[in-house]
């Protein structure tokens, strides 16, 4: 009987681990479904509504003075805000379809004005799509935070950080 105890303990641990793994997988699927629904909402918006939604997320998460400034002559800034810690945030919004990626030229135009013209302490490009590899490289080199569809969905559903928290 004493020899059977370790086997029973191992089997019990295996069952507990399996149940935990199944629960974790179910939670991941639930979050993915919520985030997918959230991105679909952003895809359904027009560009101005998308900018308004990003400004709302900033305000919801503690920014002050979150406002949309995008439009003709915006010099690359769509949303301006002040982070909870006082830093000046400048956001460029790119509401693209899932097959259109934000490229390096988009980031170069934004990078040319976000710091010098708008005085950004946190510069971010938020998209409903993804970024090209050259854009990712440019963003990293110039300290521009890149929020693709997955990061946006996580931010919107409060399962990921806001751009100024990176």
């Amino acid at each position: 009987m004493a020899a059977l105890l370790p086997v029973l303990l191992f089997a019990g641990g295996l069952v507990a681990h399996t149940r935990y793994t199944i629960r974790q997988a179910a939670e991941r699927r639930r979050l993915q479904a919520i985030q997918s629904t959230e991105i679909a909402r952003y895809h359904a918006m027009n560009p101005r509504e998308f900018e308004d939604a990003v400004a709302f997320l900033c305000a919801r998460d503690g920014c002050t003075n979150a406002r949309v400034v995008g439009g003709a002559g915006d010099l690359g800034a769509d949303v301006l805000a002040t982070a909870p810690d006082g830093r000046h945030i400048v956001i460029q919004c790119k509401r693209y379809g899932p097959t259109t990626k934000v490229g390096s030229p988009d980031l170069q135009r934004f990078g040319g004005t976000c710091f010098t013209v708008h005085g950004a302490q946190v510069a971010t490009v938020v998209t409903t799509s993804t970024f090209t590899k050259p854009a990712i490289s440019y963003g990293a080199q110039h300290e521009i935070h890149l929020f693709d569809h997955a990061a946006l969905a996580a931010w919107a559903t409060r399962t990921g950080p806001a751009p100024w928290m990176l």
Side-chain angles (χ1 to χ4, degrees), residues 34-99:
I34 290 169
Q35 290 175 352
S36 179
T37 300
E38 192 69 21
I39 286 301
R41 287 182 48 235
Y42 291 115
H43 279 291
M45 296 175 180
N46 67 42
R48 178 58 188 225
E49 291 169 335
F50 180 54
E51 292 168 359
D52 287 337
V54 170
F56 168 81
L57 291 174
C58 290
R60 179 199 74 184
D61 291 345
C63 288
T64 56
N65 305 319
R67 64 197 181 283
V68 175
V69 296
D74 65 14
L75 297 173
D78 292 320
V79 175
L80 300 178
T82 303
D85 63 5
R87 291 178 295 159
H88 184 64
I89 302 168
V90 179
I91 300 175
Q92 170 69 218
C93 299
K94 295 290 186 187
R95 193 198 56 78
Y96 287 167
T99 59

Side-chain angles (χ1 to χ4, degrees), residues 111-152:
T113 61
C114 64
F115 298 108
T116 58
V117 173
H118 298 291
Q121 292 172 297
V122 178
T124 303
V125 177
V126 177
T127 185
T128 53
S129 185
T130 58
F131 297 91
T132 64
K133 287 182 182 179
I136 293 168
S137 176
Y138 184 90
Q141 183 180 9
H142 295 279
E143 297 183 15
I144 298 173
H145 299 177
L146 305 182
F147 258 50
D148 65 7
H149 68 283
L152 171 60

Side-chain angles (χ1 to χ4, degrees), residues 17-37:
H17 177 71
T18 301
R19 286 182 179 162
Y20 173 78
T21 302
I22 290 169
R23 280 194 305 272
Q24 291 294 89
E27 179 64 11
R28 275 192 305 277
R29 285 191 303 277
R30 185 184 74 78
L31 284 175
Q32 287 171 342
I34 290 169
Q35 290 175 352
S36 179
T37 300

